[in-house]
Amino acid sequence: DNTVRQYNAKISKTHFETLNLLKQYSCKVIGVSHIKIKTMANQLKKSVATVKRHIKYLKDNGFITVINTFRMKQGGKGANTYAINPIDVYQKIQNELSQMSHRKNDKKHNQRQSQQAMAFVKAKKETISFIKLLS
């Protein structure tokens, strides 16, 4: 409960509603809930696509961890398990995300790629003209 309340200031109301629902379904193990997306959509009165977007946002920003499950007897994919990350794990994830370097535009790299593309087009044209000569 404390962790979810602390996350409240960091996320929007709709994302908080999704996180709060996950908290409500974590009965057996504190902070870990086992629920289908369709059930979440019905409880929140939202579409399945919206709930998937909320889960993706919460996962990408380090609020939750998604654990895929498989059915042992029947086989196949089961309902995911969602673990609400403690504050210290959330902060570590945020630090790692901020330290990641983003791809920079490299002019030389772009020039090399365009030269390779032009060489490919030229080779393709030569191949087509050679096939026409053979015919």
Side-chain angles (χ1 to χ4, degrees):
D1 288 344
N2 254 352
T3 304
V4 174
R5 267 189 244 117
Q6 288 176 347
Y7 287 155
N8 187 16
K10 297 175 177 23
I11 57 178
S12 67
K13 181 183 175 189
T14 54
H15 291 124
F16 178 74
E17 289 172 352
T18 306
L19 188 63
N20 197 35
L21 182 69
L22 288 174
K23 177 194 75 168
Q24 291 171 1
Y25 273 82
S26 61
C27 296
K28 291 183 181 178
V29 180
I30 296 173
V32 179
S33 52
H34 183 76
I35 183 173
K36 290 183 179 181
I37 289 187
K38 190 171 183 179
T39 306
M40 292 172 63
N42 291 338
Q43 290 286 327
L44 295 170
K45 295 179 178 60
K46 303 211 182 285
S47 70
V48 172
T50 301
V51 173
K52 284 182 180 181
R53 275 195 309 273
H54 289 185
I55 294 295
K56 183 179 181 331
Y57 173 83
L58 293 170
K59 181 182 95 173
D60 290 347
N61 289 299
F63 296 106
I64 63 171
T65 301
V66 179
I67 304 160
N68 297 321
T69 59
F70 296 95
R71 291 187 237 153
M72 297 300 279
K73 292 183 181 177
Q74 296 174 340
K77 191 174 181 301
N80 288 332
T81 301
Y82 304 97
I84 300 171
N85 294 330
I87 295 292
D88 58 335
V89 173
Y90 165 76
Q91 289 170 344
K92 285 180 185 176
I93 292 170
Q94 290 300 312
N95 287 339
E96 288 178 17
L97 287 174
S98 66
Q99 291 174 359
M100 290 175 65
S101 63
H102 296 282
R103 200 180 290 182
K104 295 179 182 176
N105 289 336
D106 184 10
K107 289 184 181 181
K108 289 182 182 179
H109 178 70
N110 291 342
Q111 287 174 347
R112 265 185 270 126
Q113 279 188 328
S114 63
Q115 288 171 352
Q116 288 174 346
M118 292 305 291
F120 176 75
V121 169
K122 184 178 177 183
K124 192 169 184 178
K125 284 181 181 178
E126 289 174 359
T127 305
I128 291 171
S129 64
F130 181 72
I131 292 172
K132 286 180 182 178
L133 284 174
L134 287 176
S135 299

